[in-house]
Amino acid sequence: MKAALFDLDGVVFDTEGQYSDFWGRQFRTYYPGSSGMEQRIKGQTLGQIFDAYFPDADVQERIVAELENFEQGMRFPYVDGFADFVADLRACGVRTAIVTSSNRQKMSVVYANCPELTDMFDAILTSEDFSFSKPHPDCYEKAAARLDAQRDECVVFEDSFNGLRSGRSAGMRVVGLSTTNVADDIKPLSDVVISDYLGLDYEKITTLLSVCR
């Protein structure tokens, strides 16, 4: 493993529950009677969500205002064991990147809450850096190029179906986190499934991945 590429929500931060609550409220407001739509949109950019479900410009403006207010008050707890795991990867010479569908405005809120985050990664790529969004492989291909790594040298860490498919489509090994979806559901799209990073280090993850090849 030369490069470890991490999605953000549900992979670095245990925040998916907060976003599910927010989007669940939006869909109940604009799609009364709908159910589970907040799960369907995971891994999509805000633009993709608007294009598919909220095309009205006035509605988009209201949701953006609510989302910005919501994110200002969000908590950003790390997934258990994440900080120690990344520190061990970097100590072993692995380069690291965040590859997220979130935009730079959202990331400014993240940095304000977790200023140490930038020291954990060699690169942070946001939605503005990609021509296509997950499940297209573009984001992970660009991240690999940024870290000067070949696809077979990269490991993707993802939780959403779109993200897992993106890593798969990029031809990279994929570690699925069952923080958002149950392990059995993401297993077909993952080489390895983990619930968190507790007890995980460079040696253990490379061993798990080598066994699955």
Side-chain angles (χ1 to χ4, degrees):
M1 190 194 329
K2 183 176 181 178
L5 312 178
F6 296 87
D7 178 43
L8 187 68
D9 294 293
V11 175
V12 174
F13 295 119
D14 188 11
T15 49
E16 280 297 344
Q18 297 176 72
Y19 277 112
S20 292
D21 290 342
F22 174 83
W23 285 109
R25 290 194 299 272
Q26 302 306 316
F27 278 107
R28 286 191 294 274
T29 297
Y30 297 102
Y31 290 87
S34 65
S35 176
M37 297 295 290
E38 64 273 19
Q39 299 298 321
R40 187 178 300 179
I41 64 170
K42 289 186 184 297
Q44 297 182 18
T45 65
L46 186 60
Q48 286 178 310
I49 296 169
F50 281 167
D51 288 344
Y53 303 105
F54 305 100
D56 184 89
D58 290 335
V59 171
Q60 292 179 9
E61 187 175 346
R62 286 196 293 272
I63 292 177
V64 166
E66 291 182 32
L67 181 60
E68 289 177 354
N69 183 63
F70 172 78
E71 288 180 337
Q72 290 293 330
M74 278 185 66
R75 295 168 286 105
F76 294 95
Y78 290 108
V79 173
D80 288 344
F82 175 78
D84 289 340
F85 176 59
V86 169
D88 186 73
L89 291 182
R90 291 172 65 84
C92 293
V94 177
R95 305 197 73 194
T96 56
I98 285 177
V99 186
T100 178
S101 299
S102 298
N103 59 26
R104 290 171 188 159
Q105 183 172 336
K106 150 71 178 294
M107 293 306 296
S108 68
V109 178
V110 173
Y111 299 145
N113 283 270
C114 305
E116 74 284 356
L117 189 72
T118 55
D119 293 329
M120 296 181 179
F121 295 93
D122 298 290
I124 296 178
L125 289 78
T126 62
S127 61
E128 293 86 351
D129 295 307
F130 315 132
S131 301
F132 305 96
S133 299
K134 303 171 185 177
H136 195 281
D138 179 58
C139 59
Y140 284 115
E141 291 171 347
K142 282 187 167 63
R146 182 81 64 89
L147 299 186
D148 193 27
Q150 300 300 312
R151 65 182 62 199
D152 61 353
E153 297 174 321
C154 296
V155 177
V156 168
F157 294 79
E158 271 283 1
D159 65 314
S160 71
F161 292 113
N162 278 341
L164 294 164
R165 292 188 180 103
S166 179
R168 272 274 197 257
S169 296
M172 299 173 184
R173 287 169 291 172
V174 178
V175 176
L177 278 95
S178 57
T179 51
T180 302
N181 301 288
V182 298
D184 285 346
D185 288 346
I186 65 173
K187 188 175 181 180
L189 295 170
S190 309
D191 294 293
V192 173
V193 175
I194 60 175
S195 58
D196 55 41
Y197 303 96
L198 291 174
L200 200 63
D201 57 18
Y202 172 81
E203 182 177 356
K204 185 169 183 179
I205 192 63
T206 52
T207 298
L208 288 172
L209 288 166
S210 66
V211 169
C212 294
R213 293 194 75 171

